[in-house]
Amino acid sequence: MTAPATLTGPDLLPKDGIVRRIVVFLHGYGADGQDLIGLAPFFAQALPHTAFYAPDAPYPCEMSPFGRQWFGLDDYDPDMLRRDPANMAAAHARMAAGVARAAAPLRAFLAEKLKIHGLGADRLALIGFSQGTMMSLGVGLALDQPPAAIVGFSGAMLGQVPPMAEGARRPEVLLIHGTNDPVVPVEASGHALAKLEAAGIQAALIRRPGLAHGIDQQGAEAAARFLMERLPQD
């Protein structure tokens, strides 16, 4: 399938029309933008004058008649990953190719929102969940002007950290992952953390004890604090 040239999805804009920051939510496999835009009012309390966007992934989900996907997961096996991460190298390579195919419309979406609001990438943050985290890391880190910060819930880093443009600012990354996640094992975020740190990117991992594949209150609060400290507040 060919990815559409543009993405659309729900948003939440400041009532007074003043936009000083942009936060883009990237949803997981089989969901759509509505799945995460419900978090926007919570984050808006910590980040006033912020425009929140949650674009729908470019493709219909292969496993759901209503959801969307950034790329296919037909050979993804979390149990295999948990037993031996090396066995997932080939599957990760195929998923990384899927990230690459979906990258162009996402890059265009981010550039459009920055242009509309007249802001630089230092005022942009990405929040991904699951497959959306894979997109946030795979695309966000590869931008000529990366976002100021990336938050990744319950996700993974597919392949290696993409090379960054010479002189580009390195975004800071916060990974948050439940220890009882049956879909994307928490070890995946541990591997991502190691790759990010090896590439010279400041990153941290919060493991949420007992949490399955989801976002809990404590994780959301940690993400809000992280963004408050890294996005300009003027």
Side-chain angles (χ1 to χ4, degrees):
M1 292 183 289
T2 301
T6 59
L7 302 178
T8 60
D11 57 47
L12 180 69
L13 305 179
K15 292 182 179 180
D16 61 8
I18 300 173
V19 176
R20 295 177 177 151
R21 290 163 295 276
I22 299 173
V23 172
V24 176
F25 296 101
L26 300 182
H27 66 79
Y29 180 82
D32 59 21
Q34 291 291 345
D35 188 56
L36 293 184
I37 198 64
L39 293 173
F42 170 80
F43 280 92
Q45 296 176 55
L47 297 166
H49 302 301
T50 299
F52 295 90
Y53 294 96
D56 298 333
Y59 305 110
C61 182
E62 61 200 0
M63 300 295 289
S64 168
F66 304 108
R68 310 289 296 179
Q69 66 182 39
W70 298 96
F71 52 86
L73 293 177
D74 54 329
D75 59 357
Y76 180 73
D77 184 348
D79 291 329
M80 183 184 295
L81 177 59
R82 190 177 289 106
R83 290 192 304 270
D84 184 359
N87 288 339
M88 287 297 289
H92 270 204
R94 285 188 288 274
M95 288 191 288
V99 171
R101 286 192 294 272
L106 178 55
R107 288 197 302 266
F109 181 88
L110 298 175
E112 175 193 32
K113 300 310 178 188
L114 289 171
K115 182 178 180 180
I116 286 173
H117 297 295
L119 299 176
D122 63 318
R123 292 176 178 267
L124 169 68
L126 305 181
I127 300 179
F129 174 73
S130 192
Q131 194 177 78
T133 292
M134 301 172 193
M135 291 296 301
S136 296
L137 294 172
V139 176
L141 294 174
L143 294 172
D144 290 341
Q145 294 296 322
I150 297 173
V151 177
F153 288 96
S154 306
M157 177 85 231
L158 301 178
Q160 299 304 309
V161 176
M164 302 186 71
E166 184 177 353
R169 179 195 65 258
R170 292 180 177 270
E172 295 187 40
V173 178
L174 176 63
L175 305 173
I176 305 173
H177 212 133
T179 60
N180 287 7
D181 191 333
V183 179
V184 181
V186 67
E187 292 84 359
S189 281
H191 296 316
L193 178 66
K195 292 177 182 179
L196 292 166
E197 291 179 335
I201 294 173
Q202 187 170 338
L205 168 59
I206 297 175
R207 295 176 175 85
R208 295 294 307 133
L211 180 66
H213 195 61
I215 301 173
D216 63 1
Q217 181 73 20
Q218 290 87 341
E221 290 173 353
R225 289 192 299 269
F226 176 78
L227 295 184
M228 284 177 62
E229 295 169 357
R230 286 152 183 85
L231 288 172
Q233 294 300 303
D234 60 323

